[in-house]
Amino acid sequence: MAGVWLLLVLFLLGSAEAGKLLVIPSDGSHWLGMKPIVEELGRRGNQVVVVIPEASLSMGPSQNTTTLTYPVNYTKAELHASLEGNLTAILSNDLSSDLSKFLLFFYQMNLLQTFIVRNAEGLLFNEDLMKKLQDYRFDAILTDPFEPVGVIVSEYLSIPAIYMQVNLPCGVDTLASQCPSPPSYVPQRNTHFTDQMNLWQRCVNLARTLLQPMACRYMHTCADEIASRVLQRKASMMEIMSRAALWFMRFDFAFEFPRPLMPNMVMIGGMATKKPKPLSQHSPVGNRCTTLWSEESNGGAATDLYAPRIDP
């Protein structure tokens, strides 16, 4: 609950009650969805420190924050080529049968095992940077658990962890939080089932549910080893993530099925990374167009709510 109250304080109170927040994001859409919240927290007077790798596809300095970088053993071009190749390999798989979907699931686990730890050693074994993060004495960390870096840092610094996720392979969020996930109506990833399954589909879904813990352990094999080295004790990602203060589930309602949630899980919805511009709404009547107007927004003067807007 400490993380919940902290985030409320950061949002609701002014700079006199500002907090210190560490942010360790993941690249791509993970960061693009988190960035507006991070910048808003900084604008409200909080001390926000964002830690990112030197080479990335979308991450860089953001407004109202302090950005720290750490070296990695790849370039932006190499990262782009690797992601493109992995995506092509996944999309080229045959999904015509339940068996092929089942095999794709483990193929993805194999790819992700090395992909998600690519930044771990660059940050976690950077003694100068880790010492600098300790000296900040952060109140909490906001991170995307898709990569284990932020998860391990939260345990190393002993600060409450707030997770903001798009989707986690193998349902590690459900397993770590011990959230109920009835296989009779909560479909597993890559099955393409709905919440109304026939008997065969429920059997396949049950098998996938029972295999989730094994798949998560396999996917986090390298991450667990790194966590144990950094924390100097036997540790696992599942164990560390089970102590999360708050989960922000950044799912679009159109792609989610009804399912149980734990008290510290909050569906924040939406996958858009930019605020959409208002669209012109026309109702053709002969050769004329009818435009919606509002007279309340300008002291009684007519204002076109849907006129195209040109940003400077």
Side-chain angles (χ1 to χ4, degrees):
M1 289 300 293
V4 178
W5 288 112
L6 174 67
L7 205 66
L8 289 174
V9 167
L10 293 178
F11 268 114
L12 299 178
L13 300 184
S15 58
E17 300 289 342
K20 295 181 179 180
L21 182 68
L22 173 62
V23 179
I24 301 182
S26 293
D27 207 353
S29 60
H30 302 267
W31 166 238
L32 296 177
M34 183 186 291
K35 185 177 180 181
I37 295 176
V38 171
E39 291 183 336
E40 178 64 18
L41 287 170
R43 188 188 69 80
R44 298 191 182 196
N46 302 289
Q47 186 176 5
V48 180
V49 178
V50 183
V51 181
I52 60 175
E54 288 181 347
S56 70
L57 296 177
S58 60
M59 295 186 288
S62 48
Q63 298 177 1
N64 309 311
T65 66
T66 300
T67 301
L68 302 178
T69 61
Y70 57 91
V72 289
N73 59 357
Y74 57 83
T75 64
K76 182 176 180 178
E78 290 172 343
L79 176 61
H80 186 274
S82 175
L83 289 175
E84 190 175 57
N86 290 337
L87 183 60
T88 301
I90 291 174
L91 293 178
S92 63
N93 274 271
D94 174 35
L95 296 178
S96 59
S97 66
D98 290 330
L99 178 60
S100 60
K101 296 172 187 175
F102 188 81
L103 294 175
L104 175 62
F105 172 70
F106 282 96
Y107 178 70
Q108 288 178 327
M109 296 300 103
N110 187 49
L111 284 178
L112 289 171
Q113 183 178 176
T114 54
F115 178 79
I116 64 176
V117 297
R118 70 191 190 283
N119 295 327
E121 294 190 355
L123 171 59
L124 297 171
F125 297 104
N126 188 324
E127 295 182 2
D128 293 337
L129 183 53
M130 293 297 286
K131 179 63 169 60
K132 191 172 186 178
L133 296 181
Q134 279 185 318
D135 294 340
Y136 270 104
R137 298 186 181 277
F138 291 105
D139 298 308
I141 179 173
L142 176 64
T143 187
D144 190 319
F146 178 78
E147 293 187 58
V149 184
V151 177
I152 299 173
V153 169
S154 69
E155 187 76 3
Y156 182 82
L157 299 179
S158 299
I159 54 178
I162 303 168
Y163 298 144
M164 178 178 288
Q165 67 166 63
V166 176
N167 213 332
L168 284 175
C170 79
V172 65
D173 52 324
T174 300
L175 295 171
S177 63
Q178 297 185 346
C179 181
S181 181
S184 60
Y185 69 91
V186 179
Q188 294 293 318
R189 293 189 64 197
N190 294 331
T191 59
H192 300 280
F193 297 156
T194 69
D195 55 343
Q196 297 182 9
M197 294 175 271
N198 58 37
L199 179 59
W200 168 250
Q201 291 172 335
R202 290 188 183 191
C203 291
V204 173
N205 202 57
L206 176 60
R208 280 284 307 276
T209 302
L210 294 175
L211 286 171
Q212 272 190 312
M214 183 182 69
C216 280
R217 284 194 297 270
Y218 175 72
M219 188 184 72
H220 287 132
T221 299
C222 296
D224 291 347
E225 293 176 358
I226 294 172
S228 299
R229 288 165 55 194
V230 173
L231 302 174
Q232 297 183 351
R233 63 173 174 83
K234 186 172 178 57
S236 69
M237 298 304 298
M238 200 80 67
E239 168 221 337
I240 299 172
M241 293 173 70
S242 68
R243 292 190 281 275
L246 185 64
W247 293 83
F248 280 148
M249 320 297 281
R250 195 165 67 88
F251 294 149
D252 190 290
F253 72 93
F255 301 106
E256 269 301 293
F257 297 103
R259 63 185 178 91
L261 294 176
M262 299 302 280
N264 64 339
M265 289 181 168
V266 181
M267 287 281 189
I268 60 176
M271 299 178 69
T273 57
K274 293 183 180 180
K275 184 178 180 179
K277 296 181 181 179
L279 300 176
S280 297
Q281 181 169 330
H282 299 292
S283 176
V285 180
N287 293 327
R288 301 179 59 186
C289 292
T290 303
T291 308
L292 300 182
W293 298 84
S294 170
E295 297 185 359
E296 297 179 357
S297 60
N298 195 24
T303 304
D304 188 357
L305 295 178
Y306 294 89
R309 183 176 63 192
I310 301 177
D311 294 331

